[in-house]
Amino acid sequence: MKILHTSDWHIGRTFHTHQTLDHLALVLEALVEVVRERRVDVVAVAGDIFDSAAPSADSYALLSGTLSRLHATGARVVMTSGNHDSATRLGFQSEWAGLAGIHVVTGFDQYRTPITIDDEHGPVHFYGIPFLEPALVRHHYPDELLKTHEQVLGLAMRQVRADLAERGGRSVVLSHCFAAGVTASDVERDISAGGLDLVPASVFDGPDYVALGHIHGRARLTDRVRYSGAPLHYSFAEADKPRGAWLVNLDAAGLADVEWVDLPVPRRLSVLTGELAGLVEADEFAVATQDWVAAVLTDRVRPLDGMRTLQERFPHCVALEHRPAVTATAEVASYADRVKHKSDPEIVAGFLEFVRNGVGQSEFERDLVAEVLGTAGAES
């Protein structure tokens, strides 16, 4: 059986206020082509289908169209809800979708009854574990201590292993969590009140393969426990992380092999560092003109209208940081000492030099300050 492991579609998410639906549609269309060309039997989507608990009509349309095209390939789909999803909205009419081979698992205990799909070697049981918030599920198990995700998923996996022991056969688990051994980027929202609630990879012992979601970069915790990452870049912190999915092959004995399949990147991400003049003039940066660009300006003085100037060369520049390459030594004298026996023009000049990292007034600024102070003195 061939299984394509993907996750974290985040349909409806923006990138620095820019819509990403068109780009995601291109990537998901490529994913459908992979399913068709590689004759994938099951597509496993491990949570965060939508980016919001209240998706837009366009977001629903993209999901519906993608699922229809996946269905047309002959593949089955198993997907679970993540911490960004509304389990109720995502699971609406899931019973009817299941009749078409599109299995949407959102109920807190649905994983206890697996979705069983047969191949020439027998059954493969898919246990879809949706995102389980401890505070929302612990009242269902009054005899269990369920304060952390490790405890909740520990309980879920004990139930999975007990069920599997009775059924026999091969198995795949889908889960949405922070598993130990991976690093989060700046767009993966905390799933606990006090920060990251890590789940040891050992919690997932037992199944032939564990398809994880929530981390936006691909990661291999063990041969059979992996993150696929998001299919689209949603942060500059992800710029160097490939986009794609894991193609998992199960044979009669269980996990046979796992192969990474690249997906297209509609617009690359580039972080460019240098002085403003160099970024907009140097030939070496020409390759980034159509990229999403985050610029780090190293000019000693923050340039006026820097973003507009950058966007003349990089129309998709969406972030700017001023990080001077040279910084002035901090003053140890008090403000009173610094201004003692100074004239008003000298105080203004000293202030500008202080806040601008040691760069003093230009001739124009000096004349302007003198004019303003002279006018103020005449009025008083």
Side-chain angles (χ1 to χ4, degrees):
M1 179 177 289
K2 289 184 178 180
I3 303 163
L4 191 70
H5 166 201
T6 177
S7 72
D8 295 274
W9 291 0
H10 286 281
I11 302 173
R13 193 181 190 96
T14 59
F15 183 79
H16 291 266
T17 75
H18 294 266
Q19 293 295 329
T20 62
L21 276 178
D22 290 345
H23 285 179
L24 183 58
L26 292 173
V27 176
L28 292 180
E29 183 60 42
L31 184 145
V32 172
E33 287 305 309
V34 170
V35 171
R36 180 179 292 110
E37 293 173 2
R38 303 298 291 267
R39 297 186 178 182
V40 171
D41 300 296
V42 181
V43 178
V45 192
D48 279 355
I49 312 305
F50 292 116
D51 188 62
S52 167
S56 67
D58 288 341
S59 296
Y60 273 112
L62 178 54
L63 177 61
S64 178
T66 300
L67 293 178
S68 295
R69 288 188 287 274
L70 286 172
H71 175 71
T73 69
R76 307 282 189 89
V77 177
V78 179
M79 62 169 49
T80 61
S81 53
N83 60 298
H84 281 249
D85 298 307
S86 163
T88 301
R89 287 188 173 94
L90 183 61
F92 179 65
Q93 293 190 337
S94 59
E95 181 179 355
W96 302 106
L99 298 177
I102 308 294
H103 303 279
V104 184
V105 183
T106 62
F108 78 95
D109 61 351
Q110 276 185 270
Y111 64 85
R112 300 180 67 173
T113 303
I115 298 152
T116 299
I117 301 173
D118 293 308
D119 65 4
E120 66 272 23
H121 302 300
V124 177
H125 307 296
F126 288 82
Y127 295 89
I129 304 176
F131 172 69
L132 299 176
E133 173 60 54
L136 299 181
V137 300
R138 65 171 66 109
H139 68 280
H140 294 290
Y141 304 97
D143 297 329
E144 297 281 347
L145 178 63
L146 301 178
K147 293 185 177 181
T148 67
H149 283 92
E150 178 182 356
Q151 292 167 341
V152 172
L153 287 175
L155 170 64
M157 286 304 302
R158 290 196 300 273
Q159 294 171 330
V160 165
R161 284 188 287 267
D163 183 82
L164 187 58
E166 293 185 7
R167 294 178 187 273
R170 296 157 296 163
S171 61
V172 174
V173 164
L174 290 75
S175 182
H176 195 84
C177 66
F178 273 121
V182 295
T183 302
S185 76
D186 57 357
V187 296
E188 288 132 8
R189 191 174 301 163
D190 278 2
I191 54 175
S192 67
L196 306 187
D197 193 352
L198 293 176
V199 178
S202 59
V203 166
F204 297 104
D205 286 349
D208 294 288
Y209 186 77
V210 179
L212 296 179
H214 190 56
I215 301 301
H216 287 190
R218 72 176 182 186
R220 171 189 169 278
L221 277 65
T222 70
D223 284 342
R224 58 179 194 80
V225 181
R226 300 175 186 243
Y227 283 97
S228 65
L232 200 64
H233 290 111
Y234 291 114
S235 166
F236 283 102
E238 303 168 6
D240 61 344
K241 298 178 181 178
R243 303 290 90 171
W246 292 112
L247 184 59
V248 181
N249 185 34
L250 300 184
D251 59 17
L255 182 63
D257 57 72
V258 183
E259 174 189 352
W260 178 254
V261 178
D262 285 309
L263 291 173
V265 177
R267 177 167 287 127
R268 298 183 312 163
L269 277 68
S270 293
V271 179
L272 308 181
T273 302
E275 294 189 355
L276 179 61
L279 294 184
V280 298
E281 295 172 5
D283 292 339
E284 63 182 291
F285 300 114
V287 295
T289 54
Q290 294 306 311
D291 295 356
W292 293 119
V293 169
V296 180
L297 299 184
T298 59
D299 304 70
R300 290 191 67 180
V301 178
R302 186 182 185 93
L304 294 175
D305 222 0
M307 178 62 85
R308 182 191 61 78
T309 303
L310 285 164
Q311 288 177 339
E312 291 177 356
R313 187 180 197 189
F314 309 105
H316 306 292
C317 181
V318 294
L320 186 154
E321 177 186 354
H322 182 223
R323 193 189 303 164
V326 178
T327 58
T329 304
E331 287 274 2
V332 295
S334 68
Y335 178 75
D337 290 336
R338 293 202 304 271
V339 301
K340 185 182 297 184
H341 307 307
K342 296 283 184 70
S343 66
D344 287 347
E346 289 173 331
I347 292 174
V348 174
F351 172 78
L352 291 175
E353 183 176 359
F354 178 75
V355 299
R356 297 198 307 195
N357 206 25
V359 177
Q361 290 175 312
S362 65
E363 183 176 351
F364 169 78
E365 290 169 334
R366 188 178 300 107
D367 292 342
L368 180 61
V369 169
E371 179 182 345
V372 172
L373 291 177
T375 302
E379 291 178 349
S380 62

